[in-house]
């Protein structure tokens, strides 16, 4: 997969910016996170009422969830199976493309207290168990622990978890920890204003408040940046930006 880096967003956006479905500006008020899938659908999460809403590229509402507790949406890259984790409920839920509940995986009493969960596929989940201070690979289909790795960290500061090819990426409020299973080695990279992690094929990226940073050789390179953005995200075809209660799309030139 090609990764595209832009030094000056202003130069890029003058050519490529498109304002999209802003006839419904209320959708972007008081939002907490923005997601975009590879079909161009937009997802808005609001902590104020624990709502998660899906919109078509034309701005039509396609589905809406009203959680009763805070949930963290892992990813919408595969809109056929959207994982959502609740630390409060100690469970992971899978939703389909219409935001209908497909399955719920409960972690109590099987584990102590799960701080973060990452669904690797439809069989296995990676768990950060705060009680045991372990990173655990759990086969929820057959209900057994595949592997467990000691992981000592300040669990209160953990924001996100992503695992790919025997490497765990643990996002903290001020750093990204890279944990290699085979060697047990942990590397840390300082970060500012992080929101969540993103993986596209082998590319690991960090989504911050107003930028997307690609991880290369244990350092970050700017992929997309907008100092005035409230939220940013990307899919395989475009970058997305919310600012001034409007949504903008920046097609990626391939």
């Amino acid at each position: 997969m090609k990764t595209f880096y832009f030094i000056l967003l202003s130069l890029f956006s003058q050519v490529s910016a498109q304002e999209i479905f802003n006839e419904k500006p209320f959708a972007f008020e008081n939002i907490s996170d923005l997601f975009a899938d590879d079909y161009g659908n937009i997802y808005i999460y609001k902590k104020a009422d624990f709502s998660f809403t899906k919109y078509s590229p034309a701005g039509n509402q396609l589905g809406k969830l009203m959680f009763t507790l805070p949930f963290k949406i892992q990813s919408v890259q595969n809109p056929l199976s959207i994982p959502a984790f609740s630390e409060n409920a100690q469970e992971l839920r899978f939703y389909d493309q219409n935001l209908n509940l497909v399955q719920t995986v409960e972690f109590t009493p099987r584990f102590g207290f799960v701080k973060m969960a990452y669904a690797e596929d439809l069989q296995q989940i990676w768990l950060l168990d705060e009680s045991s201070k372990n990173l655990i690979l759990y086969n929820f289909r057959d209900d057994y622990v595949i592997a467990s790795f000691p992981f000592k960290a300040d669990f209160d500061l953990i924001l996100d978890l992503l695992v790919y090819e025997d490497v765990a990426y643990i996002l903290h409020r001020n750093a990204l920890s890279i944990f290699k299973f085979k060697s047990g080695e942990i590397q840390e990279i300082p970060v500012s204003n992080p929101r969540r992690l993103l993986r596209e094929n082998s590319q690991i990226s960090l989504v911050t408040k107003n930028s997307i940073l690609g991880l290369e050789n244990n350092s970050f390179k700017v992929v997309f940046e907008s100092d005035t953005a409230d939220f940013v995200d990307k899919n395989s075809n475009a970058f997305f930006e919310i600012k001034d209660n409007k949504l903008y799309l920046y097609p990626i030139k391939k």
Side-chain angles (χ1 to χ4, degrees), residues 1-253:
M1 182 192 72
K2 295 182 179 179
T3 305
F4 300 86
Y5 298 106
F6 300 92
I7 299 175
L8 295 175
L9 172 63
S10 59
L11 181 63
F12 171 63
S13 61
Q14 286 172 8
V15 177
S16 306
Q18 298 177 16
E19 185 176 327
I20 58 176
F21 70 86
N22 292 308
E23 67 274 11
K24 303 173 183 179
F26 61 85
F28 307 120
E29 293 177 351
N30 303 314
I31 77 169
S32 303
D33 213 345
L34 163 72
F35 302 85
D37 68 25
D38 278 345
Y39 298 95
N41 300 307
I42 300 297
Y43 304 73
I44 300 294
Y45 180 70
K46 297 184 179 182
K47 289 182 180 178
D49 59 2
F50 306 141
S51 65
F52 183 62
T53 310
K54 178 180 180 178
Y55 297 92
S56 73
N60 300 314
Q61 183 173 311
L62 300 179
K64 186 172 185 176
L65 293 174
M66 296 297 297
F67 296 114
T68 56
L69 291 169
F71 270 80
K72 179 185 180 301
I73 308 302
Q74 175 181 308
S75 170
V76 298
Q77 287 174 298
N78 177 10
L80 302 179
S81 180
I82 300 174
F85 167 69
S86 174
E87 180 182 343
N88 300 71
Q90 287 292 285
E91 65 183 33
L92 183 74
R93 298 178 182 177
F94 292 92
Y95 292 90
D96 67 13
Q97 69 271 26
N98 298 314
L99 302 188
N100 295 317
L101 180 63
V102 176
Q103 184 174 6
T104 299
V105 182
E106 298 179 352
F107 300 130
T108 305
R110 187 69 169 80
F111 301 97
F113 185 81
V114 175
K115 181 67 177 181
M116 195 63 62
Y118 175 76
E120 185 174 50
D121 50 36
L122 296 178
Q123 287 189 321
Q124 300 178 163
I125 303 173
W126 287 94
L127 308 173
L128 276 169
D129 190 332
E130 186 172 19
S131 300
S132 63
K133 302 294 183 182
N134 283 331
L135 176 62
I136 299 167
L137 179 58
Y138 173 53
N139 185 313
F140 64 91
R141 293 292 185 194
D142 298 319
D143 188 24
Y144 72 95
V145 172
I146 299 172
S148 180
F149 304 89
F151 187 82
K152 298 187 182 299
D154 188 342
F155 278 67
D156 290 335
L157 301 179
I158 293 175
L159 299 178
D160 204 1
L161 167 67
L162 189 153
V163 180
Y164 178 65
E165 289 191 343
D166 297 325
V167 179
Y169 302 86
I170 298 98
L171 181 62
H172 307 264
R173 292 178 187 172
N174 54 10
L176 175 68
S177 294
I178 302 173
F179 176 55
K180 299 179 180 179
F181 299 134
K182 292 181 179 179
S183 64
E185 178 185 3
I186 298 179
Q187 298 173 313
E188 289 199 347
I189 304 172
V191 297
S192 299
N193 300 315
R195 281 175 42 221
R196 54 186 167 83
L197 296 169
L198 175 68
R199 182 178 74 84
E200 294 178 292
N201 298 325
S202 61
Q203 176 64 60
I204 307 298
S205 299
L206 171 67
V207 181
T208 75
K209 179 181 182 298
N210 50 25
S211 66
I212 298 174
L213 310 176
L215 183 62
E216 273 194 3
N217 300 320
N218 294 330
S219 64
F220 285 112
K221 304 290 185 182
V222 175
V223 177
F224 179 85
E225 187 173 44
S226 173
D227 292 338
T228 58
D230 297 312
F231 294 92
V232 297
D233 198 36
K234 76 179 296 292
N235 61 16
S236 61
N237 299 309
F239 300 104
F240 297 83
E241 171 191 22
I242 289 180
K243 67 176 179 180
D244 300 327
N245 205 31
K246 294 180 180 179
L247 178 65
Y248 296 87
L249 175 151
Y250 303 84
I252 297 175
K253 297 179 181 179

